[in-house]
Amino acid sequence: MPPVFPMLTVLSMFYYMCLRRRARTATRGEMNSRRAIESNTRALPINVEIVQYAKEVLDFSSHYGSENSMSYTMWNLAGIPNVYPSSGDFTQTAVFRTYGTWWDHCPSARLPFKRTPTTFCSQDYVELAFEEPVYPTAVHILETYHPGAVVRILACSANPYSQNPPAEVRWEVLWSEAPTKVNGPQARQFTPSIKQINFPTNLIRLEVNSSLLDYYTELDAVVLHGVKERPVLSLKASMIDMNDIDEDEDEEKYGCGMDTLNKQFSIVALREWPSNGYFDKLPYEVRKSCLHLIRLS
């Protein structure tokens, strides 16, 4: 009878090689889901900073790639980086549809919106969902080609994975700046100084303006840093300088003119009104802009 041990040894080696190959060829989605499951099973202290990549791309205004492909599409912003810290034109990145000003000069260009605030300069956007709602402490944007298009970062109070949607959805600006020209197309990690907000979030919105770019900007990944417990504001930030209080502002605040009474009445009416229909479902900044335009008209 021939020995069985050599055959068992060969089968064991073949099984081991198959396991290694499967581990090497695991997709990014499988790795992210496995990492998410492991993170959910661990109980972290609430004051420990959580670092997480975007789990999912929820919405966007445009992308260069087609709907049937992963090349140059916004879907590439989900998960760990594919290209960074390398620089160059890579199909595994997220690319918006336009750059420069040539798009605005085309016959098919969109007409500008009327009554747009002068400070609003966004042209495109992408909304990213993360696994854990946190109080943001930092946002890292990995730009791999022609950086400098991001002009605004916002956080949403609604949790896209919650079964009970909130009655009011609020968007808060974490950082905003006018478009700037960046010298060189090299990759960089863009980490602007963001402000603290009073609600946890796992929905981040990036708004871009590519009018000053010489070519398409390419984004590889977005990293959200945050804590589970609301950070305590510093004493210096919470103190009020008595020299900043102006008597004219007090008179305007407590005056008895018709403009002041109308303003106070509108504020009280908005607070006491039980429901404004679909108007209440609009983002906080949109409602604020609408009320401002109504007062100007």
Side-chain angles (χ1 to χ4, degrees), residues 195-265:
K195 75 172 185 178
Q196 295 182 2
I197 56 178
N198 58 1
F199 58 83
T201 182
N202 62 339
L203 177 54
I204 296 295
R205 176 186 176 109
L206 304 182
E207 296 184 357
V208 302
N209 184 312
S210 305
S211 60
L212 301 181
L213 299 182
D214 299 326
Y215 195 68
Y216 294 98
T217 186
E218 299 188 6
L219 310 178
D220 193 13
V222 178
V223 190
L224 175 62
H225 292 239
V227 293
K228 300 292 289 183
E229 186 181 16
R230 181 180 177 184
V232 180
L233 296 175
S234 62
L235 181 61
K236 181 178 179 180
S238 60
M239 292 178 61
I240 301 177
D241 190 357
M242 297 301 295
N243 295 326
D244 294 338
I245 300 178
D246 193 357
E247 295 180 358
D248 295 336
E249 295 181 358
D250 294 340
E251 293 178 359
E252 181 181 355
K253 182 177 180 181
Y254 299 104
C256 297
M258 290 300 299
D259 294 338
T260 305
L261 292 177
N262 291 332
K263 185 183 298 184
Q264 293 178 355
F265 176 79

Side-chain angles (χ1 to χ4, degrees), residues 80-127:
I80 60 178
N82 297 311
V83 177
Y84 187 85
S86 300
S87 299
D89 189 0
F90 291 89
T91 60
Q92 300 93 335
T93 57
V95 182
F96 289 99
R97 195 176 180 182
T98 65
Y99 72 91
T101 58
W102 63 270
W103 185 265
D104 296 330
H105 299 153
C106 293
S108 58
R110 295 176 301 180
L111 295 176
F113 290 101
K114 296 182 179 180
R115 293 186 174 183
T116 302
T118 56
T119 57
F120 184 81
C121 59
S122 302
Q123 295 176 336
D124 280 294
Y125 73 90
V126 58
E127 294 179 359

